[in-house]
Amino acid sequence: MRNFISLLGPGLVFAATSIGVSHVVQSTRAGADFGYALVAIIILAHVIKLPFFQAGPRYAAATGENLLDAYLRLGKGYYISVVLLTFATMFIIQAAVTIVAAGVLANILPFGWSIGVWSLVVLLASMLLLITGGYRLLKNLMKAMMLVFLVLCVTTLCASLLSDRPEQLATAPQLLSVSSIAFIVALVGWMPTAIEVSIWHSFWVVEQQKLDEVNASQLNSSGTAPIASKVKIRLLDFNIGYLFCCLLALLFVALGAQVLFGRGIPLQDSAIGFSAQLIAIFTDILGPWSKPVVSGLIFIAMFSTCIAVADGFSQVITRIAEQQFNLDGSKHKLAYHLCIPVIGIGGLAIILLFAGQLTSLVDFATTVSFLSAPWFAWLNMKSLTLPNMPVASRVTSGYNIYTQCCLACLSAFAIFYLAWRLF
Protein backbone atom coordinates (compact mmCIF):
# COMPACT_ATOMS: atom_id res chain seq x y z
CA MET A 1 0.00 0.00 0.00
CA ARG A 2 2.79 2.39 0.90
CA ASN A 3 4.50 1.67 -2.40
CA PHE A 4 1.29 2.40 -4.31
CA ILE A 5 0.73 5.70 -2.48
CA SER A 6 4.28 6.72 -3.35
CA LEU A 7 3.42 6.19 -7.03
CA LEU A 8 0.46 8.55 -6.92
CA GLY A 9 1.39 11.78 -8.60
CA PRO A 10 0.08 12.86 -12.02
CA GLY A 11 -3.53 12.29 -10.94
CA LEU A 12 -3.01 14.53 -7.91
CA VAL A 13 -1.34 17.20 -10.03
CA PHE A 14 -4.30 16.99 -12.42
CA ALA A 15 -6.70 17.41 -9.49
CA ALA A 16 -4.75 20.39 -8.18
CA THR A 17 -4.92 22.00 -11.62
CA SER A 18 -8.69 21.45 -11.70
CA ILE A 19 -9.44 22.62 -8.17
CA GLY A 20 -8.34 26.14 -9.00
CA VAL A 21 -10.65 28.43 -10.96
CA SER A 22 -13.31 25.86 -11.89
CA HIS A 23 -13.97 24.96 -8.26
CA VAL A 24 -12.99 27.97 -6.16
CA VAL A 25 -14.56 30.52 -8.53
CA GLN A 26 -17.00 28.87 -10.91
CA SER A 27 -18.54 26.27 -8.57
CA THR A 28 -18.99 28.85 -5.83
CA ARG A 29 -20.67 31.19 -8.33
CA ALA A 30 -22.92 28.33 -9.49
CA GLY A 31 -24.13 27.72 -5.94
CA ALA A 32 -24.47 31.41 -5.11
CA ASP A 33 -26.46 32.28 -8.25
CA PHE A 34 -28.40 29.07 -8.92
CA GLY A 35 -28.51 27.14 -5.65
CA TYR A 36 -28.40 23.41 -6.38
CA ALA A 37 -29.90 23.74 -9.87
CA LEU A 38 -26.59 23.12 -11.68
CA VAL A 39 -25.50 20.03 -9.72
CA ALA A 40 -26.66 17.68 -12.46
CA ILE A 41 -24.80 19.69 -15.11
CA ILE A 42 -21.57 19.52 -13.09
CA ILE A 43 -21.88 15.75 -12.71
CA LEU A 44 -22.72 15.40 -16.42
CA ALA A 45 -19.63 17.44 -17.37
CA HIS A 46 -17.42 15.05 -15.39
CA VAL A 47 -19.05 11.98 -16.94
CA ILE A 48 -18.81 13.28 -20.53
CA LYS A 49 -15.19 14.43 -20.30
CA LEU A 50 -13.89 11.35 -18.44
CA PRO A 51 -12.77 9.19 -21.42
CA PHE A 52 -10.89 12.06 -23.04
CA PHE A 53 -8.99 12.92 -19.88
CA GLN A 54 -8.18 9.23 -19.41
CA ALA A 55 -6.56 9.21 -22.85
CA GLY A 56 -3.62 11.20 -21.45
CA PRO A 57 -2.42 8.69 -18.83
CA ARG A 58 -3.47 5.71 -20.96
CA TYR A 59 -1.45 6.77 -24.00
CA ALA A 60 1.57 8.00 -22.03
CA ALA A 61 1.78 4.91 -19.83
CA ALA A 62 1.44 2.53 -22.80
CA THR A 63 3.80 4.25 -25.24
CA GLY A 64 6.16 6.41 -23.17
CA GLU A 65 5.17 9.40 -25.31
CA ASN A 66 3.06 12.46 -24.55
CA LEU A 67 -0.13 13.40 -26.40
CA LEU A 68 1.63 16.16 -28.32
CA ASP A 69 3.77 13.46 -29.93
CA ALA A 70 0.57 11.54 -30.68
CA TYR A 71 -0.97 14.52 -32.46
CA LEU A 72 2.13 14.82 -34.62
CA ARG A 73 1.79 11.13 -35.49
CA LEU A 74 -1.83 11.77 -36.53
CA GLY A 75 -0.71 14.42 -39.00
CA LYS A 76 0.97 17.79 -39.30
CA GLY A 77 -2.35 19.64 -39.65
CA TYR A 78 -3.72 18.24 -36.39
CA TYR A 79 -0.49 19.09 -34.62
CA ILE A 80 -0.46 22.68 -35.94
CA SER A 81 -4.06 23.23 -34.80
CA VAL A 82 -3.09 22.29 -31.25
CA VAL A 83 -0.03 24.53 -31.39
CA LEU A 84 -2.14 27.49 -32.53
CA LEU A 85 -4.80 26.92 -29.86
CA THR A 86 -2.06 26.64 -27.23
CA PHE A 87 -0.45 29.93 -28.20
CA ALA A 88 -3.85 31.64 -28.44
CA THR A 89 -4.95 30.72 -24.91
CA MET A 90 -1.86 30.15 -22.74
CA PHE A 91 -1.45 33.73 -21.47
CA ILE A 92 -5.18 34.15 -20.77
CA ILE A 93 -5.40 30.88 -18.84
CA GLN A 94 -2.27 31.67 -16.83
CA ALA A 95 -3.70 35.10 -16.03
CA ALA A 96 -7.08 33.67 -14.97
CA VAL A 97 -5.59 31.29 -12.39
CA THR A 98 -2.95 33.75 -11.19
CA ILE A 99 -5.32 36.64 -10.51
CA VAL A 100 -7.45 34.48 -8.19
CA ALA A 101 -4.39 33.32 -6.23
CA ALA A 102 -3.21 36.94 -6.02
CA GLY A 103 -6.60 38.01 -4.69
CA VAL A 104 -6.44 35.42 -1.92
CA LEU A 105 -2.88 36.43 -1.03
CA ALA A 106 -3.95 40.08 -0.84
CA ASN A 107 -6.49 39.10 1.83
CA ILE A 108 -3.85 37.22 3.81
CA LEU A 109 -1.14 39.90 3.82
CA PRO A 110 -2.58 43.41 4.49
CA PHE A 111 0.03 45.42 2.61
CA GLY A 112 -2.44 47.34 0.47
CA TRP A 113 -0.72 46.46 -2.78
CA SER A 114 -2.58 46.43 -6.09
CA ILE A 115 -3.71 43.18 -7.72
CA GLY A 116 -0.98 43.66 -10.33
CA VAL A 117 1.75 43.65 -7.68
CA TRP A 118 0.29 40.60 -5.93
CA SER A 119 0.05 38.80 -9.28
CA LEU A 120 3.73 39.56 -9.91
CA VAL A 121 4.59 38.06 -6.49
CA VAL A 122 2.60 34.89 -7.26
CA LEU A 123 4.14 34.50 -10.70
CA LEU A 124 7.69 35.06 -9.45
CA ALA A 125 7.19 32.48 -6.69
CA SER A 126 5.73 30.00 -9.20
CA MET A 127 8.63 30.46 -11.59
CA LEU A 128 11.19 30.10 -8.81
CA LEU A 129 9.67 26.86 -7.53
CA LEU A 130 9.45 25.33 -11.00
CA ILE A 131 13.00 26.27 -11.96
CA THR A 132 14.48 25.00 -8.69
CA GLY A 133 12.14 22.13 -7.78
CA GLY A 134 10.27 20.96 -10.84
CA TYR A 135 7.96 17.97 -10.90
CA ARG A 136 8.96 16.36 -7.60
CA LEU A 137 8.12 19.48 -5.60
CA LEU A 138 4.89 19.94 -7.54
CA LYS A 139 3.73 16.41 -6.72
CA ASN A 140 4.68 16.51 -3.04
CA LEU A 141 2.97 19.87 -2.53
CA MET A 142 -0.41 18.41 -3.46
CA LYS A 143 -0.75 15.38 -1.22
CA ALA A 144 -1.28 16.95 2.21
CA MET A 145 -3.12 20.04 0.94
CA MET A 146 -5.81 18.14 -0.95
CA LEU A 147 -6.85 15.94 1.94
CA VAL A 148 -6.94 18.81 4.45
CA PHE A 149 -8.88 20.96 1.98
CA LEU A 150 -11.50 18.24 1.50
CA VAL A 151 -11.92 17.83 5.27
CA LEU A 152 -12.25 21.59 5.71
CA CYS A 153 -14.96 21.87 3.03
CA VAL A 154 -16.95 18.96 4.45
CA THR A 155 -16.69 20.37 7.98
CA THR A 156 -17.82 23.82 6.85
CA LEU A 157 -20.76 22.44 4.88
CA CYS A 158 -21.92 20.27 7.82
CA ALA A 159 -21.63 23.25 10.16
CA SER A 160 -23.67 25.43 7.78
CA LEU A 161 -26.41 22.81 7.58
CA LEU A 162 -26.61 22.58 11.38
CA SER A 163 -26.33 26.30 12.16
CA ASP A 164 -29.09 28.90 12.28
CA ARG A 165 -28.58 30.74 9.02
CA PRO A 166 -30.74 33.70 7.86
CA GLU A 167 -33.70 32.41 5.90
CA GLN A 168 -33.22 32.39 2.15
CA LEU A 169 -35.39 34.64 0.04
CA ALA A 170 -37.78 32.73 -2.22
CA THR A 171 -36.14 32.79 -5.63
CA ALA A 172 -36.17 30.59 -8.70
CA PRO A 173 -33.02 30.65 -10.83
CA GLN A 174 -33.60 31.56 -14.49
CA LEU A 175 -31.62 28.88 -16.31
CA LEU A 176 -32.63 29.94 -19.84
CA SER A 177 -31.74 33.62 -19.67
CA VAL A 178 -28.88 34.95 -21.81
CA SER A 179 -26.57 35.48 -18.84
CA SER A 180 -27.41 32.07 -17.35
CA ILE A 181 -26.64 30.13 -20.55
CA ALA A 182 -23.39 32.06 -20.96
CA PHE A 183 -22.40 31.18 -17.40
CA ILE A 184 -23.34 27.50 -17.79
CA VAL A 185 -21.14 27.31 -20.92
CA ALA A 186 -18.26 28.88 -18.99
CA LEU A 187 -18.87 26.51 -16.07
CA VAL A 188 -18.77 23.40 -18.25
CA GLY A 189 -15.73 24.69 -20.17
CA TRP A 190 -13.48 24.19 -17.15
CA MET A 191 -15.42 21.55 -15.26
CA PRO A 192 -13.37 19.94 -13.93
CA THR A 193 -10.86 21.60 -16.26
CA ALA A 194 -10.18 22.09 -19.98
CA ILE A 195 -9.72 18.87 -21.98
CA GLU A 196 -6.39 20.14 -23.31
CA VAL A 197 -5.01 19.65 -19.78
CA SER A 198 -4.88 15.97 -20.77
CA ILE A 199 -1.80 16.94 -22.81
CA TRP A 200 -0.07 18.25 -19.68
CA HIS A 201 -1.17 15.15 -17.79
CA SER A 202 0.55 12.97 -20.39
CA PHE A 203 3.79 14.92 -19.82
CA TRP A 204 3.49 14.40 -16.06
CA VAL A 205 2.89 10.67 -16.57
CA VAL A 206 6.01 10.35 -18.72
CA GLU A 207 7.99 12.15 -16.01
CA GLN A 208 6.44 9.93 -13.32
CA GLN A 209 7.38 6.81 -15.25
CA LYS A 210 11.01 7.92 -15.21
CA LEU A 211 10.74 8.11 -11.43
CA ASP A 212 8.97 4.74 -11.27
CA GLU A 213 11.90 3.01 -12.92
CA VAL A 214 14.02 3.48 -9.81
CA ASN A 215 11.39 1.89 -7.55
CA ALA A 216 12.49 -1.74 -7.24
CA SER A 217 9.16 -2.91 -5.84
CA GLN A 218 7.42 -2.11 -9.11
CA LEU A 219 9.98 -3.79 -11.41
CA ASN A 220 10.05 -7.33 -12.72
CA SER A 221 13.14 -9.42 -13.32
CA SER A 222 13.94 -7.68 -16.58
CA GLY A 223 14.05 -4.31 -14.81
CA THR A 224 11.04 -2.90 -16.59
CA ALA A 225 7.45 -2.78 -15.33
CA PRO A 226 4.96 -4.48 -17.70
CA ILE A 227 2.98 -2.07 -19.88
CA ALA A 228 -0.33 -3.39 -18.59
CA SER A 229 0.78 -2.69 -15.02
CA LYS A 230 1.88 0.84 -15.91
CA VAL A 231 -1.46 1.63 -17.56
CA LYS A 232 -3.44 0.18 -14.68
CA ILE A 233 -1.57 2.19 -12.03
CA ARG A 234 -1.71 5.45 -13.97
CA LEU A 235 -5.43 5.10 -14.69
CA LEU A 236 -6.14 4.33 -11.04
CA ASP A 237 -4.06 7.34 -10.01
CA PHE A 238 -6.04 9.51 -12.43
CA ASN A 239 -9.43 8.13 -11.38
CA ILE A 240 -8.70 8.93 -7.72
CA GLY A 241 -7.80 12.51 -8.63
CA TYR A 242 -10.84 12.81 -10.92
CA LEU A 243 -13.25 11.60 -8.23
CA PHE A 244 -11.66 14.08 -5.83
CA CYS A 245 -12.30 16.87 -8.38
CA CYS A 246 -15.97 15.98 -8.67
CA LEU A 247 -16.51 15.81 -4.91
CA LEU A 248 -14.86 19.18 -4.30
CA ALA A 249 -16.83 20.81 -7.13
CA LEU A 250 -20.09 19.65 -5.54
CA LEU A 251 -18.91 20.81 -2.11
CA PHE A 252 -18.18 24.33 -3.38
CA VAL A 253 -21.58 24.45 -5.09
CA ALA A 254 -23.19 23.42 -1.81
CA LEU A 255 -21.25 26.04 0.15
CA GLY A 256 -22.26 28.76 -2.31
CA ALA A 257 -25.87 27.62 -2.17
CA GLN A 258 -26.01 27.38 1.62
CA VAL A 259 -24.31 30.68 2.40
CA LEU A 260 -24.97 33.02 -0.53
CA PHE A 261 -27.91 31.80 -2.63
CA GLY A 262 -31.15 33.75 -2.18
CA ARG A 263 -29.67 36.26 0.27
CA GLY A 264 -29.24 39.18 -2.12
CA ILE A 265 -25.45 39.18 -1.81
CA PRO A 266 -23.85 40.02 -5.17
CA LEU A 267 -20.48 38.44 -5.92
CA GLN A 268 -17.62 40.88 -6.39
CA ASP A 269 -16.02 41.15 -9.83
CA SER A 270 -12.55 42.06 -8.54
CA ALA A 271 -10.14 39.31 -7.54
CA ILE A 272 -9.51 40.77 -4.08
CA GLY A 273 -13.20 41.37 -3.39
CA PHE A 274 -14.26 37.91 -4.56
CA SER A 275 -11.50 36.25 -2.54
CA ALA A 276 -12.66 38.09 0.58
CA GLN A 277 -16.19 36.79 0.02
CA LEU A 278 -14.90 33.26 -0.51
CA ILE A 279 -12.91 33.31 2.72
CA ALA A 280 -15.93 34.77 4.54
CA ILE A 281 -18.03 31.73 3.54
CA PHE A 282 -15.82 29.60 5.79
CA THR A 283 -15.09 32.09 8.58
CA ASP A 284 -18.74 33.13 9.03
CA ILE A 285 -19.58 29.50 9.77
CA LEU A 286 -16.47 28.21 11.54
CA GLY A 287 -15.56 31.44 13.34
CA PRO A 288 -12.77 34.05 13.09
CA TRP A 289 -10.17 31.58 14.35
CA SER A 290 -10.40 29.72 11.03
CA LYS A 291 -9.43 32.63 8.79
CA PRO A 292 -5.65 31.95 8.72
CA VAL A 293 -6.24 28.24 8.07
CA VAL A 294 -8.89 28.81 5.42
CA SER A 295 -6.95 31.57 3.69
CA GLY A 296 -3.79 29.50 3.65
CA LEU A 297 -5.50 26.41 2.23
CA ILE A 298 -7.33 28.33 -0.48
CA PHE A 299 -4.11 30.09 -1.42
CA ILE A 300 -2.21 26.80 -1.58
CA ALA A 301 -4.95 25.35 -3.79
CA MET A 302 -4.81 28.31 -6.16
CA PHE A 303 -1.03 28.60 -6.00
CA SER A 304 -0.63 24.93 -6.89
CA THR A 305 -2.90 25.57 -9.87
CA CYS A 306 -0.66 28.45 -10.97
CA ILE A 307 2.38 26.19 -10.73
CA ALA A 308 0.68 23.34 -12.60
CA VAL A 309 -0.55 25.64 -15.40
CA ALA A 310 2.85 27.29 -15.81
CA ASP A 311 4.52 23.88 -15.83
CA GLY A 312 1.99 22.41 -18.27
CA PHE A 313 2.31 25.20 -20.82
CA SER A 314 6.09 25.30 -20.45
CA GLN A 315 6.32 21.55 -21.06
CA VAL A 316 4.17 21.86 -24.18
CA ILE A 317 6.07 24.86 -25.59
CA THR A 318 9.39 23.17 -24.86
CA ARG A 319 8.30 20.04 -26.71
CA ILE A 320 7.09 22.14 -29.65
CA ALA A 321 10.49 23.86 -29.79
CA GLU A 322 12.28 20.50 -29.67
CA GLN A 323 10.19 19.15 -32.53
CA GLN A 324 10.41 22.25 -34.71
CA PHE A 325 14.08 23.11 -34.19
CA ASN A 326 15.43 19.57 -33.67
CA LEU A 327 16.81 20.37 -30.22
CA ASP A 328 18.63 17.50 -28.56
CA GLY A 329 17.86 16.25 -25.09
CA SER A 330 20.70 18.23 -23.51
CA LYS A 331 18.90 21.50 -24.31
CA HIS A 332 15.53 20.40 -22.91
CA LYS A 333 16.12 21.84 -19.45
CA LEU A 334 17.36 25.17 -20.81
CA ALA A 335 14.37 25.50 -23.15
CA TYR A 336 11.97 24.63 -20.32
CA HIS A 337 13.53 27.23 -18.02
CA LEU A 338 13.27 29.87 -20.74
CA CYS A 339 9.61 29.11 -21.38
CA ILE A 340 8.56 29.58 -17.75
CA PRO A 341 9.23 33.36 -17.54
CA VAL A 342 7.67 33.86 -21.00
CA ILE A 343 4.41 32.32 -19.73
CA GLY A 344 4.62 34.46 -16.58
CA ILE A 345 5.24 37.74 -18.41
CA GLY A 346 2.38 37.08 -20.83
CA GLY A 347 0.02 36.23 -17.99
CA LEU A 348 0.99 39.36 -16.07
CA ALA A 349 0.34 41.54 -19.14
CA ILE A 350 -3.20 40.16 -19.43
CA ILE A 351 -3.81 40.76 -15.71
CA LEU A 352 -2.70 44.38 -15.93
CA LEU A 353 -5.14 44.90 -18.80
CA PHE A 354 -8.11 43.21 -17.07
CA ALA A 355 -7.30 43.74 -13.37
CA GLY A 356 -10.84 44.65 -12.29
CA GLN A 357 -12.67 42.13 -14.47
CA LEU A 358 -12.10 38.76 -12.82
CA THR A 359 -15.35 37.09 -13.88
CA SER A 360 -15.11 38.40 -17.45
CA LEU A 361 -11.55 37.10 -17.81
CA VAL A 362 -12.47 33.70 -16.37
CA ASP A 363 -15.65 33.42 -18.46
CA PHE A 364 -13.75 34.19 -21.68
CA ALA A 365 -11.05 31.60 -20.99
CA THR A 366 -13.56 28.92 -19.99
CA THR A 367 -15.81 29.60 -23.01
CA VAL A 368 -12.87 29.14 -25.39
CA SER A 369 -12.16 25.81 -23.70
CA PHE A 370 -15.82 24.82 -24.03
CA LEU A 371 -15.81 25.46 -27.79
CA SER A 372 -12.48 23.71 -28.41
CA ALA A 373 -13.37 20.69 -26.25
CA PRO A 374 -14.83 18.55 -29.10
CA TRP A 375 -11.66 18.99 -31.15
CA PHE A 376 -9.30 17.97 -28.36
CA ALA A 377 -11.66 15.12 -27.45
CA TRP A 378 -11.59 13.76 -31.01
CA LEU A 379 -7.80 14.03 -31.18
CA ASN A 380 -7.45 12.13 -27.90
CA MET A 381 -9.83 9.43 -29.10
CA LYS A 382 -7.89 9.01 -32.35
CA SER A 383 -4.56 8.94 -30.51
CA LEU A 384 -5.57 5.71 -28.80
CA THR A 385 -5.87 4.01 -32.20
CA LEU A 386 -2.37 4.87 -33.45
CA PRO A 387 -0.19 1.91 -34.53
CA ASN A 388 2.30 2.48 -31.69
CA MET A 389 -0.50 2.05 -29.12
CA PRO A 390 -0.42 -1.56 -27.83
CA VAL A 391 -3.69 -3.32 -28.68
CA ALA A 392 -3.98 -4.71 -25.15
CA SER A 393 -3.90 -1.16 -23.71
CA ARG A 394 -6.63 0.26 -25.94
CA VAL A 395 -10.18 0.80 -24.73
CA THR A 396 -12.74 -1.98 -25.12
CA SER A 397 -15.41 -1.83 -27.81
CA GLY A 398 -18.06 -1.03 -25.21
CA TYR A 399 -16.00 1.81 -23.75
CA ASN A 400 -15.35 3.08 -27.27
CA ILE A 401 -19.11 3.40 -27.83
CA TYR A 402 -19.37 5.34 -24.58
CA THR A 403 -16.51 7.58 -25.74
CA GLN A 404 -18.21 8.28 -29.06
CA CYS A 405 -21.47 9.17 -27.30
CA CYS A 406 -19.54 11.60 -25.07
CA LEU A 407 -17.92 13.17 -28.13
CA ALA A 408 -21.35 13.57 -29.73
CA CYS A 409 -22.62 15.33 -26.61
CA LEU A 410 -19.66 17.73 -26.51
CA SER A 411 -20.10 18.51 -30.19
CA ALA A 412 -23.85 19.05 -29.84
CA PHE A 413 -23.35 21.41 -26.89
CA ALA A 414 -20.76 23.46 -28.80
CA ILE A 415 -22.94 23.66 -31.92
CA PHE A 416 -25.96 24.68 -29.84
CA TYR A 417 -24.00 27.45 -28.15
CA LEU A 418 -22.63 28.79 -31.44
CA ALA A 419 -26.10 28.72 -33.02
CA TRP A 420 -27.58 30.42 -29.95
CA ARG A 421 -24.97 33.18 -30.10
CA LEU A 422 -25.20 33.71 -33.85
CA PHE A 423 -28.96 33.44 -34.35
Side-chain angles (χ1 to χ4, degrees), residues 12 28 99 128 156 182 198 216 349:
L12 293 180
T28 304
I99 197 172
L128 180 63
T156 305
S198 60

Side-chain angles (χ1 to χ4, degrees), residues 84-99 123 190 200 309 313-314 317 338-354 361 364-365:
L84 292 177
L85 281 170
T86 298
F87 279 106
T89 59
M90 61 184 184
F91 296 139
I92 297 174
I93 293 174
Q94 186 66 57
V97 298
T98 301
I99 197 172
L123 287 169
W190 274 7
W200 311 351
V309 170
F313 277 124
S314 297
I317 302 305
L338 290 175
C339 287
I340 292 172
V342 171
I343 300 295
I345 292 171
L348 182 63
I350 297 294
I351 289 171
L352 294 177
L353 290 173
F354 299 94
L361 182 63
F364 176 79

Side-chain angles (χ1 to χ4, degrees), residues 329-342:
S330 63
K331 297 180 180 178
H332 173 87
K333 191 172 184 179
L334 174 61
Y336 173 75
H337 286 170
L338 290 175
C339 287
I340 292 172
V342 171

Side-chain angles (χ1 to χ4, degrees), residues 195-384:
I195 290 182
E196 54 263 40
V197 174
S198 60
I199 303 173
W200 311 351
H201 192 182
S202 67
F203 277 95
W204 296 327
V205 169
V206 171
E207 182 67 21
Q208 179 67 60
Q209 302 224 121
K210 294 176 182 177
L211 300 178
D212 291 348
E213 292 175 0
V214 300
N215 191 327
S217 64
Q218 296 297 314
L219 302 180
N220 62 19
S221 58
S222 65
T224 304
I227 291 177
S229 176
K230 292 179 181 179
V231 173
K232 183 178 179 180
I233 290 175
R234 296 281 64 94
L235 285 177
L236 181 57
D237 170 40
F238 167 78
N239 290 338
I240 291 172
Y242 201 73
L243 178 60
F244 193 93
C245 290
C246 188
L247 290 175
L248 264 183
L250 296 176
L251 282 172
F252 272 103
V253 171
L255 286 170
Q258 286 296 123
V259 179
L260 299 175
F261 178 65
R263 305 193 195 282
I265 305 174
L267 291 175
Q268 297 292 316
D269 198 36
S270 71
I272 295 176
F274 179 85
S275 300
Q277 286 183 306
L278 180 64
I279 294 169
I281 290 177
F282 292 88
T283 56
D284 287 351
I285 296 170
L286 299 178
W289 66 268
S290 64
K291 184 174 181 178
V293 177
V294 170
S295 302
L297 283 172
I298 294 176
F299 175 71
I300 291 173
M302 289 308 310
F303 185 54
S304 63
T305 300
C306 292
I307 296 173
V309 170
D311 177 72
F313 277 124
S314 297
Q315 294 273 16
V316 170
I317 302 305
T318 299
R319 186 57 182 154
I320 291 172
E322 289 175 341
Q323 291 170 333
Q324 296 304 306
F325 302 110
N326 297 317
L327 301 180
D328 57 41
S330 63
K331 297 180 180 178
H332 173 87
K333 191 172 184 179
L334 174 61
Y336 173 75
H337 286 170
L338 290 175
C339 287
I340 292 172
V342 171
I343 300 295
I345 292 171
L348 182 63
I350 297 294
I351 289 171
L352 294 177
L353 290 173
F354 299 94
Q357 304 174 54
L358 169 65
T359 55
S360 299
L361 182 63
V362 170
D363 286 349
F364 176 79
T366 51
T367 300
V368 171
S369 295
F370 176 87
L371 293 175
S372 62
W375 180 241
F376 282 104
W378 183 83
L379 288 174
N380 286 4
M381 184 176 70
K382 294 297 290 182
S383 296
L384 298 181

Side-chain angles (χ1 to χ4, degrees), residues 76-136:
K76 196 75 171 182
Y78 302 124
Y79 172 79
I80 291 174
S81 71
V82 173
V83 172
L84 292 177
L85 281 170
T86 298
F87 279 106
T89 59
M90 61 184 184
F91 296 139
I92 297 174
I93 293 174
Q94 186 66 57
V97 298
T98 301
I99 197 172
V100 179
V104 177
L105 188 59
N107 281 279
I108 297 175
L109 302 175
F111 295 162
W113 295 346
S114 69
I115 192 65
V117 174
W118 284 118
S119 297
L120 176 62
V121 171
V122 170
L123 287 169
L124 286 175
S126 301
M127 289 187 288
L128 180 63
L129 285 174
L130 281 175
I131 291 173
T132 58
Y135 177 81
R136 290 176 187 266

